[in-house]
Amino acid sequence: ASSPPGPSHPCPSPPRSMAHLMLLASTVGLAPHLGGSRLSALRMSSVGAASQSASGIAAPGADHNILLRAARGEAVDRTPVWLMRQAGRYMAEFREFSDKYPFRQRSETPDIAIELSLQPWRAFGVDGVIMFSDILTPLPALGIEFDVVKGTGPIISSPLRSMADVTAMTPMDDPESKLPFIRTILGDLRAETEGRNTLLGFVGSPFTLVAYAVEGQANRHCINTKKMMMRNPEVLHAALGRLADAIGQYACYQIESGAQVIQFFESWAHHLGPSQFATFAKPYADRAMAYVRARHPEVPVVYYANGGSSYLNLQSDMECDVVSLDWAVDMAYARDILGKERLVQGNIDPTVLFGSDEQIRQSVHACIKKAGGKGHILNLGHGVLQGTPESAVQAFVNAAKEIPLA
């Protein structure tokens, strides 16, 4: 692998082909006007124009790294804000791409992924830009192929069901050669956000990825994984160990490509009871996160367990810097359970964004107040829902930015 970009001087990727850039530009009707310029110049021009708008994008040097500083536990003068699934179909600008191109083409084509990653920052002035990708993206590098079927979601045609399937998995020895587009996406995003915003990468947590591989697609009861827990736990543990090592390496690859913060998504934590979480999820998430923190101690690690608030006490000592909370737990109660010294993220109910601007403002102010005014990054307790008004996301971001911290 080539040398990673330094923390302050990322190495931008070389220019991509003009044909590729023109193809991307044509999706939004800009191809006739591009001439010989790169699309990244167009993106930066758009960000610059947005900085003069009501979205509140910080000028260089003003609050540019507030999210990164908060994730490191440093003092900040207001609560930083971003949203899980902030790049999504609720945005008309996003749908110009999603209506034309299948998911994997969007997430694995650098110019498209970069554009989709930047849209929420341009539109709303969020404090974090998160790479547009998917938690399943590294699976093909491990020999587990998947496709995303519109209206159904990800499908794994050959589910992982036996020890032979586990031993057939390919090690994540060289993510650069297997997932080269990740370095291009994050490298270019870092070049475009440097000194202006915090860049986040993300990965799926080991249990969630293994469960998806075992099920083959979303399953409301996670039945095949639960059967494996009961009948063949050694197979499940073997798969989890392999994924923990692979995801640790993949997260480090994202950091070495430009990511400044890494979030682990335990998206299927809602399938687990406390003892199952303690046995099959927590140890392997900790193993992967500890690996990342050992290699990159300067990079904050965030852990989000969707539906995991019923066993929040088990997350207080996890190998992460920030615990991201789902919306089903009261923020003040969560801080008491985790301990005031534990940094937290969250945790507004996404359906609040279907309310009025004043309702949104009240919910944001209440969450920040309950969080205690420090050690907190504002977010939703789940991803932005389809159909959410764009104006509501703007109201959410504005409400966070108007409250100074003592």
Side-chain angles (χ1 to χ4, degrees):
S2 60
S3 299
S8 300
H9 303 285
C11 302
S13 302
R16 294 176 285 282
S17 73
M18 182 53 61
H20 195 176
L21 294 170
M22 294 294 282
L23 170 64
L24 175 62
S26 70
T27 67
V28 290
L30 293 169
H33 310 290
L34 275 181
S37 65
R38 289 190 69 227
L39 192 63
S40 60
L42 172 67
R43 285 194 296 263
M44 288 304 293
S45 175
S46 299
V47 170
S51 68
Q52 305 301 316
S53 74
S55 66
I57 288 180
D63 277 359
H64 73 279
N65 65 350
I66 189 170
L67 194 155
L68 178 61
R69 287 187 285 121
R72 288 175 172 166
E74 298 175 19
V76 292
D77 57 10
R78 66 168 175 83
T79 302
V81 56
W82 69 284
L83 302 87
M84 291 185 284
R85 208 180 292 153
Q86 62 188 19
R89 290 186 56 80
Y90 74 98
M91 293 185 70
E93 190 179 18
F94 181 96
R95 293 194 298 274
E96 293 177 3
F97 292 86
S98 63
D99 289 345
K100 291 187 178 184
Y101 301 109
F103 181 85
R104 287 193 65 179
Q105 184 175 355
R106 281 179 277 136
S107 63
E108 297 178 16
T109 302
D111 280 307
I112 297 177
I114 292 164
E115 169 63 18
L116 297 178
S117 302
L118 291 172
Q119 285 178 353
W121 178 34
R122 287 201 304 253
F124 312 119
V126 289
D127 291 314
V129 170
I130 187 166
M131 172 180 65
F132 178 75
S133 186
D134 191 84
I135 60 171
L136 303 187
T137 293
L139 291 188
L142 305 176
I144 303 171
E145 290 296 333
F146 76 95
D147 196 12
V148 179
V149 179
K150 195 169 185 177
T152 302
I155 301 291
I156 295 171
S157 57
S158 299
L160 189 155
R161 298 286 172 80
S162 68
M163 189 64 80
D165 294 334
V166 174
T167 56
M169 290 170 60
T170 306
M172 180 72 77
D173 291 331
D174 185 11
E176 174 110 46
S177 66
K178 297 176 180 179
L179 303 163
F181 53 88
I182 294 295
R183 183 176 289 280
T184 305
I185 292 167
L186 284 169
D188 279 16
L189 282 172
R190 180 68 180 273
E192 296 191 21
T193 58
E194 182 70 17
R196 300 167 69 86
N197 208 292
T198 295
L199 178 60
L200 297 97
F202 71 93
V203 296
S205 210
F207 171 78
T208 293
L209 294 182
V210 169
Y212 223 117
V214 170
E215 299 301 326
Q217 65 184 96
N219 182 307
R220 66 178 297 189
H221 297 298
C222 205
I223 193 66
N224 293 297
T225 308
K226 293 293 189 76
K227 287 179 180 178
M228 192 176 285
M229 287 180 187
M230 298 295 104
R231 299 173 182 176
N232 303 106
E234 70 283 356
V235 175
L236 190 54
H237 282 295
L240 288 164
R242 290 198 176 214
L243 258 296
D245 294 340
I247 290 305
Q249 291 173 296
Y250 178 50
C252 288
Y253 173 51
Q254 290 189 23
I255 292 166
E256 290 153 12
S257 298
Q260 296 169 287
V261 177
I262 289 287
Q263 178 154 321
F264 277 67
F265 281 86
E266 196 71 89
S267 303
W268 283 15
H270 61 289
H271 288 299
L272 299 172
S275 64
Q276 293 169 332
F277 176 80
T279 302
F280 296 103
K282 180 178 177 178
Y284 298 100
D286 276 345
R287 178 165 154 181
M289 293 189 294
Y291 178 82
V292 174
R293 295 175 85 190
R295 278 182 59 174
H296 296 284
E298 77 288 356
V299 174
V301 175
V302 183
Y303 180 76
Y304 169 70
N306 175 43
S309 54
S310 65
Y311 40 80
L312 201 57
N313 59 304
L314 297 177
Q315 298 173 48
S316 63
D317 62 348
M318 290 191 73
E319 288 282 348
C320 61
D321 299 285
V322 182
V323 174
S324 191
L325 305 167
D326 68 24
W327 58 267
V329 64
D330 179 78
M331 174 60 77
Y333 174 78
R335 297 222 72 173
D336 286 342
I337 294 294
L338 293 170
K340 299 297 185 183
E341 72 287 348
R342 174 58 98 172
L343 307 179
V344 295
Q345 177 176 271
N347 69 329
I348 302 289
D349 181 342
T351 63
V352 166
L353 298 185
F354 290 97
S356 67
D357 285 2
E358 181 57 27
Q359 288 172 316
I360 293 168
R361 184 175 179 272
Q362 289 175 6
S363 294
V364 167
H365 286 209
C367 184
I368 291 175
K369 182 178 180 180
K370 288 181 178 182
K374 60 181 180 180
H376 175 223
I377 297 167
L378 185 71
N379 206 313
L380 300 177
H382 199 279
V384 181
L385 300 174
Q386 285 195 38
T388 297
E390 293 186 46
S391 60
V393 174
Q394 187 67 74
F396 179 83
V397 174
N398 290 348
K401 290 187 174 184
E402 72 185 22
I403 307 175
L405 300 178

